[in-house]
């Protein structure tokens, strides 16, 4: 069982336990004896079952088992300890166990609330607040049911409530005010003379595009989705004039995965001002990394990219050989865009499929009918990739995989999420059951170039209440805060920097640092054993812990965010800043 499914199971059981306790309490208050006893039995079992899921989570190395052990477990134990014996004695008047059952319901619900709302790190204040809430709710229910509650109960309630307030409840953390992001607008692109220059113009505008025979509203570069494919040869200078015809939310171009100088990075409010309707901006950088990349707007990026403001950037080391095609996968208005037409290839010719995931969620790709190798991930060649057969690859949001093979004489097909997007003939293979490649163990290993780290940062990705502003909001958080309240990570040029990225939430977070590729060191405490993996986009699944590192060699102010762009917009964005 993966940590993700354990977490889901634990959550379901916790909800079931809370609901059954509360239901049992309500049923006994209504003197529905069989129903009350039935629900209470379910609740008892569910509460005890959580001991198993919590232990399993702790053993799976889940970082946050402590908070369950410190807060949820004692409350659940109290619930069983108080309600259980009364039930067994099951008095003639079932109504007498209503308050203990309700108490158990409040205890399990409040433990659940702490888990869902409070987030990391767990604090004594949160624990006390939860206990105070439980006692208060029990006292109120007791009064309402006319039950006789011992005086000590109210006294305990008072003491706990005061203690919760005094410890600051852990909820009113002092705002770690983030320094203002410099608005260094319009710094002219460095002029690079005497080099072959590839010039392009991208005009952003609203458009109507045909998706599988249906006209849908889109935002497009040059009227097409995806935008034009930009290609260059290593050593070229790329010069792109961006114009905005009528996109009211503004437009920029971010070169995803391309480690350009900071003032070319295209992040509005950080490296430039958004280009408004009628305005233009010129990007200029040298194409010195070969590989598969893409570009997209970073202004209102969630809606902007989803609506179609993106395209492919491919930099080749020299003239393409054989068949060399890009396959950007994108969902527009809820439908997958058709893959570009690919011509037939002569058997024996080399084929390179550059798979690009431009959506906000992971896609599963499978090539049927031939063995293949993964030549590159995120634009960087792998070391010693071995042939794979009947194996699928998962590409995170924003990620790229280059698959290579020699065209066989028999048909080949590419499947995305089980759907054939391209085929040279009938291939009857069910790819759904294929194993998935783990890139951390693929290819030939090489030593990590650093043995010590100048800076280490931990990023805990979560969903929770961000209470750092006047109005609390339920956000996607990093270390308990949401953009713009997450303090930046400050490094010095030349530092070797290590990130520990931990996913405490129930959903995948595809992590993406601008301006740098990071080297994967380990996942869940297990060192990577395959080819060095230099990534710019990687999925941190629920419960996972990733260790990655990079050398700070590209000064500036860089976005560092989740590439599920809805999450990025809802708080999951911070910045890496050079001092
Ligand atoms: Cu492709 Cu800041 O993102
Ligand atoms: Cu995310």
């Amino acid at each position: 069982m993966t940590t993700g499914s354990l977490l889901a199971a634990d959550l379901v059981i916790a909800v079931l336990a809370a609901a059954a306790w509360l239901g049992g309490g309500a049923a006994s208050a209504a003197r529905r004896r069989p129903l009350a006893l039935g629900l209470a039995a379910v609740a008892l079992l569910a509460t005890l079952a959580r001991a198993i899921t919590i232990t399993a989570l702790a053993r799976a190395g889940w970082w946050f088992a402590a908070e369950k052990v410190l807060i949820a477990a004692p409350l659940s134990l109290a619930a069983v300890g108080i309600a259980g014996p009364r039930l067994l004695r099951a008095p003639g008047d079932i109504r007498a166990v209503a308050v203990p059952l309700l108490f158990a319901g409040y205890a399990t619900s409040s433990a659940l609330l702490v888990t869902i709302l409070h987030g990391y790190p767990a604090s004594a204040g949160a624990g006390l607040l939860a206990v105070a809430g439980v006692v208060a709710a029990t006292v109120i229910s007791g009064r309402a049911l006319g039950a006789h509650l011992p005086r000590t109960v109210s006294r305990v309630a008072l003491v706990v409530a005061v203690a919760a307030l005094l410890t600051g409840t852990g909820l009113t953390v002092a705002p770690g005010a983030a320094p203002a992001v410099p608005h260094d607008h319009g710094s002219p692109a460095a002029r690079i003379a005497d080099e072959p220059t590839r010039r392009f113009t991208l005009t952003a505008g609203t458009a109507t595009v045909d998706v599988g025979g249906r006209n849908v509203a889109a935002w497009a570069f040059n009227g097409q989705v995806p935008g034009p494919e930009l290609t260059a040869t290593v050593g070229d200078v790329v010069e792109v004039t961006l114009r905005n015809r009528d996109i009211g939310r503004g437009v920029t171009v971010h070169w995803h995965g391309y480690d350009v100088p900071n003032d070319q990075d295209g992040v509005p409010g950080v490296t430039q001002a958004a280009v408004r309707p009628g305005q233009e901006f010129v990007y200029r950088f040298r194409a010195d990394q070969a590989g598969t990349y893409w570009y997209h707007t970073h202004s209102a990026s969630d809606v902007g990219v989803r609506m179609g403001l993106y395209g492919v950037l491919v930099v080749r080391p020299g003239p393409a050989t054989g068949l060399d095609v890009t396959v950007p996968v994108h969902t527009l208005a809820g439908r997958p865009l058709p893959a570009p037409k690919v011509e037939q290839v002569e058997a024996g010719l080399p084929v390179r499929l550059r798979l690009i995931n431009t959506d906000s969620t992971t896609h599963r790709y499978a090539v049927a009918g031939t063995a293949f190798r993964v030549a590159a991930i995120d634009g960087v060649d792998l070391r010693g990739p071995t042939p794979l057969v009947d194996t699928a690859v998962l590409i995170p949001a924003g990620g790229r995989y280059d698959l290579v093979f020699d065209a066989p004489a028999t048909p080949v097909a590419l499947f995305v999420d089980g759907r054939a997007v391209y085929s040279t003939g009938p291939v009857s293979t069910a790819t759904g059951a294929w194993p998935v490649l783990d890139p951390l163990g693929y290819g030939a290993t090489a030593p990590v170039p650093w043995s010590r780290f100048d800076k280490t940062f931990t990023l805990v990705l979560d969903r929770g209440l961000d209470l750092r502003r006047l109005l609390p909001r339920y956000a996607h958080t990093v270390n308990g805060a949401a953009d713009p309240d997450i303090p930046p990570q400050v490094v010095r040029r030349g530092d070797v920097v290590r990130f520990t990225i931990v996913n405490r939430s129930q959903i995948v977070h595809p992590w993406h640092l601008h301006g740098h590729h990071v080297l994967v060191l380990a996942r869940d405490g297990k060192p990577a054993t395959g080819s060095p993996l230099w990534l710019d986009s990687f999925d941190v699944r629920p419960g996972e812990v990733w260790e990655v590192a990079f050398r700070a060699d590209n000064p500036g102010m860089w976005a560092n965010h989740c590439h599920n762009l809805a999450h990025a917009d809802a708080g999951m964005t911070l910045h890496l800043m050079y001092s």
Side-chain angles (χ1 to χ4, degrees), residues 200-556:
F200 305 93
T201 300
L202 295 175
T203 304
T206 52
T208 305
V209 300
D210 175 78
V211 186
R214 198 167 55 116
N215 279 341
V216 303
W219 296 355
F221 283 123
N222 300 2
Q224 59 183 91
V225 179
E229 180 162 323
L230 309 186
T231 58
T233 305
V234 172
D236 287 350
V237 169
V238 175
E239 187 184 288
V240 176
T241 303
L242 166 68
R243 300 210 168 98
N244 182 355
R245 205 181 60 218
D246 61 353
I247 303 293
R249 304 285 299 266
V251 183
T252 63
V253 177
H254 166 59
W255 311 97
H256 183 112
Y258 219 69
D259 302 329
V260 297
N262 192 240
D263 58 1
Q264 305 301 301
D265 196 44
V267 179
V270 178
T271 67
Q272 67 170 100
V275 176
R276 299 284 156 200
Q279 298 183 334
E280 69 169 44
F281 188 95
V282 180
Y283 296 91
R284 221 178 135 85
F285 56 89
R286 188 184 295 110
D288 45 17
Q289 307 163 235
T292 309
Y293 300 90
W294 62 298
Y295 62 88
H296 62 81
T297 185
H298 220 287
S299 185
S301 59
D302 178 33
V303 53
V305 176
R306 202 159 14 91
M307 291 292 282
L309 288 175
Y310 73 94
V312 171
L313 169 69
V314 174
V315 179
R316 295 190 171 88
T321 48
L323 178 68
D324 180 338
V325 288
T326 57
V327 188
V329 167
H330 193 80
T331 311
L332 190 63
R335 295 184 175 204
L337 282 180
K341 275 260 160 297
V342 176
E343 71 268 28
Q344 293 288 336
V345 262
E346 231 174 273
L349 270 190
V351 176
R352 187 175 197 106
L353 297 180
R354 301 171 182 265
L355 310 178
I356 308 171
N357 182 355
T358 67
D359 278 330
S360 270
T361 51
T362 316
H363 286 303
R364 182 180 196 276
Y365 299 72
V367 171
T370 177
F372 66 93
R373 287 174 296 127
V374 181
I377 298 181
D378 286 358
V380 183
D381 286 348
L382 299 189
R383 194 169 176 268
T386 47
L388 297 166
V389 193
D390 293 357
T391 304
V393 299
L394 292 180
I395 307 188
R400 288 90 57 214
Y401 273 50
D402 289 17
L403 309 189
V404 299
F405 53 89
D406 289 335
T410 47
V412 177
L414 171 67
F415 294 85
V416 178
D417 303 328
R419 178 174 52 87
V421 296
Y422 163 66
S423 76
T424 59
V427 175
S428 61
T429 318
T431 59
W434 287 4
V436 165
L437 173 71
D438 180 5
L440 269 67
Y442 178 66
T445 185
V448 174
W450 320 289
S451 53
R452 26 167 257 111
F453 302 94
D454 303 299
K455 298 263 161 52
T456 300
F457 298 99
T458 300
L459 290 86
V460 173
L461 315 180
D462 201 359
R463 185 100 218 239
L465 276 185
D466 173 29
L467 293 142
R468 293 176 190 234
R469 17 197 58 204
L470 220 48
L471 283 180
R473 52 185 173 148
Y474 197 52
H476 291 279
T477 57
V478 179
N479 299 338
D483 185 46
D485 302 322
I486 310 171
Q489 303 162 317
V490 182
V491 298
R492 270 188 323 223
R493 187 174 194 160
D495 279 353
V496 178
V497 183
R498 182 171 62 183
F499 285 171
T500 301
I501 307 180
V502 191
N503 187 348
R504 186 188 173 278
S505 76
Q506 314 263 359
I507 38 177
V508 178
H509 295 295
W511 204 254
H512 174 56
L513 169 64
H514 285 210
H516 309 73
H517 275 71
V518 300
L519 177 66
V520 178
L521 305 176
R523 185 187 53 211
D524 294 339
K526 292 182 209 74
T529 55
S531 158
L533 274 183
W534 291 93
L535 306 182
D536 56 60
S537 310
F538 49 96
D539 271 344
V540 184
R541 295 190 188 82
E544 281 186 351
V545 181
W546 285 66
E547 301 271 353
V548 301
F550 62 95
R551 181 179 291 282
D553 55 5
N554 197 5

Side-chain angles (χ1 to χ4, degrees), residues 508-509 562 564 567 572:
V508 178
H509 295 295
C562 178
N564 184 321
H567 300 178
M572 210 170 245

